[in-house]
Each structure stands twice: as structure tokens, then as C-alpha cells.
Amino acid sequence: MSSTLSIDGDRLYRSLEALGRIGAYRDDDAGVDGVCRLAFSAADGEGRRHVVAAMKAAGLSVTVDGIGNVYARRAGREDALGPVMAGSHIDSVATAGRFDGCLGVLGALEVVRTLNDAGVITRRPLVVAFFSEEEGARFGTDMLGSAVATGRVPLERAYGLTDRDGAVVRDELEAIGFLGDAPVELPPPHAYVECHIEQGPTLRAAGVDVGVVTGVQAISWQELTIVGKSAHAGTTPMELRADPGVAASRVQLELRAMVRSGRFGDALRATMGVTVFEPGLVNVVPNRVRATVDLRHPDDAVLVRAEAELRRFLDRVALEERVTITARQTARTPDVAFAPAVIERVAAAATARGLTHQRIVSGAGHDCQEMARVCPAAMVFVPGERDGISHNPRELSTLEQCENGVNVLLDVLVGLAEEEGP
Ligand code: GLV
Ligand code: MN
Ligand code: MN
């Protein structure tokens, strides 16, 4: 169903700018201001309070659960029916722009404001949600809040996760005042829809207005601890060394060789985002390296093969470099297919608005993939400028691009909220 309503693009964009000022920092490398709102940091707390205030100002009733997920409810005409939920996250990586996650949350809130202005009450209630630590950039497990809410990650395990400095999830959540008392188990909503920036170049290059997201690729994160022996850089003969730095570098090169080999098709993505050498001194052979590996593929079976091949290489390199390598899986999600009925609604809404669109599988992880386990779910993607760069302060989608995506979100939410059933 296509709504006759349209959102206020200026108001939406202003709200993105206002949230983007919280946790802002000057990024001289990027040449623009960036955003740092790592999960449960003071800036995240401030961002949360800002969004909760906006939710309340829009007349929503807000609850916070035991992992800090925030749900803001708008009553429906038949208020006992299962609600339609929309949202995303407002935590960020340490070098973020203003759009990742925030568009889904503030977009859903803009839908509510639009309905408020028009005096429209939907049949089913609507819930605007934001989930905790979607990025996994601080505590190592992505989609943490939505994974707890949908039962994939037990609450006690989530509470015990620590960041690099040993800070614990539960304490940090309490410190920012978002250790809520609502139960974390989320009663499955009628449906869930998320609007998000694409975070890649595909839609912009194709010149289409929105992406109809059919699913998310499989994601594997590992933390490697490579231990060797520190020694004097000038006096220790090369053949006597056990250098974990060399081992880490070989792993990095092997990842690229795996991608280029063609053995995993052409869709394998491999990234070593962290390598920390200890003691980290110019004239000391390091004794320990902490590194991370991010492997992704649209087909879980192919990702399993890549993980196995990497494990074999780690064994070999450990032997050859005389180091020990411990690999700990910090996050692992299979590829996820969204619900055909919701996908079709997204495509139909775009068509009805005269917006060009194409189907796309998400390269990034999203809360929607967790929600897809418990209810029909799908996503709307908005193209990005500058080759769709993301997890970078230069991330940019224009007012019009955001407005198009959120208008589609509006139509899909209104359509779902009128649906029959429990
Ligand atoms: C989430 O941003 C991811 O890393 O895919
Ligand atoms: Mn995101
Ligand atoms: Mn992200």
C-alpha cells in the first residue's frame, strides 16, 4: 500500500545533524568532522538521552531493557495486536559519520512525526527501537543488543564481555544510566523494517534511488593472540627469532591471497583491522601481537571453507615462525534471507513512489538480521556518495537520498500496520 503521506526531509536531515553533533570530533585525515559514540561510552549515553527525549516529545512511551535496548511505542487503533517495529542503532565505530544506524532510528521517528502531524493512527501499534552495541566495535560482538533480545546471545554472556581496557558491559551500561528493567526477551513483533545506508558503492554506481535488501552475508570475526619471544633488535640473529609480528604479517598476506585465489568465488572479503604489537618499541622484537580477522561471504558454506583454510594456515605459520597462535571467535553469523513478503512490500512501495530500485544483499551486519529470526523482516537501503564510504567521517547520503528511503519506510510500515492477523 502506498501512503498519501510523505515525510519532512528537512526535519529528518536536521535530526541527523543534531545527533551527529553528539560525540563529534575533528578528523584531520578525513578533512571533516567525525562521530565517536562507542557503545556505552559517555557520548553514547548523551546520544541515547537526546533520542529518548525526541521520542517522548513525539508522544511515544519509552521502555529500556536489561541490555540497554530502547523501545518507544505508539498506540494503535487495535492496541492489543502485535506491533510493527522499525529501528536500528545509534552507537558508532570510533571513526564514524552521521548516518550509519542513525538513519534507521531517526527515520522511524520521522515516520511517527509524520503520522502525528496527519492525525493518522495505524491499526497496529508502532514501535521505534534502537539496539545496543550494534557495531561490536567496543565489546567485540556485533548486533549485541538485538542478539540478546532475540535469544541468540545469553544476557549473562553479554554482561560479561569486556573492552580493551577491561571495562565490563554491565558496569558500563549502568554507568550511563541505561541498565533498564524491562525483560530482554522481546515478544516477536508482527514485522520489523529497517532503513539504513548501503555503506558501499553499488546503488550509487547503478544510479538507483533505493535498495531492496534481500538478506545479509555471513560474517566471522576472530581475535588472534600470537605469542613469540621479545629480544634485542640489533643483536639477535634472524634465525634465532620467534617474531609474532612476522607471523601476523604473513596471516595478513595470506588473507589477501585467499581472496585473490578464486577458490572462494569472487565475493570473499577479508580484513585484519587490528594488529597491536607488544611491547611496541623500535629496537625490540615483539613478544606478542593481538590481531583481528573479519571474514565475510554471502554463502555460509563458502565462509566455513575459508575459515578452515585460515585455521590450517595459522597452524603452519605458527610452526614455521616458532610462535603460538590462539584464535578466539568473537562473532559469527550465517547468511540471512529476509522475508519475501516484506521484501515485496519494499519493492512495491519504491515503485509506487516512482523511485528506481534494485535488489541487494547487505555486506554489513544489521540488527534486522537478528530480528529476522523472530518475525518477518526486511530493509530499505539508501545510496551513499563518495563511493558509499562508511565507517569513516566522510560517509554521506544526501537529504534527498535519505528522504526517499524513509518515505519507502513510511509506506511499508503503514501497510504492515494495517495487516490482518494476531
Ligand atoms: C557493522 O557495521 C558491520 O561491521 O558490518
Ligand atoms: Mn549500521
Ligand atoms: Mn556500522
Side-chain angles (χ1 to χ4, degrees), residues 93 100 134-135 142 199 219 221 294 296 363-366 391:
V93 297
D100 179 355
E134 186 272 352
E135 296 290 4
D142 53 352
Q199 308 186 270
I219 305 174
W221 286 1
D294 176 320
R296 306 191 190 203
H366 297 291
H391 286 184

Side-chain angles (χ1 to χ4, degrees), residues 51-56 59-64 70-73 130 178:
V51 174
V52 166
M55 288 168 153
K56 288 183 175 165
L60 303 178
S61 39
V62 175
T63 56
V64 183
V70 171
Y71 302 103
R73 191 172 191 283
F130 64 86
F178 275 86

Side-chain angles (χ1 to χ4, degrees), residues 18-29:
L19 181 53
R21 282 193 286 275
I22 300 174
Y25 70 97
R26 181 68 199 166
D27 191 314
D28 286 325
D29 289 339

Side-chain angles (χ1 to χ4, degrees), residues 69-91:
N69 294 324
V70 171
Y71 302 103
R73 191 172 191 283
R74 182 177 195 263
R77 297 195 308 279
E78 297 178 39
D79 206 36
L81 291 179
V84 176
M85 186 178 286
S88 193
H89 62 98
I90 64 163
D91 69 300

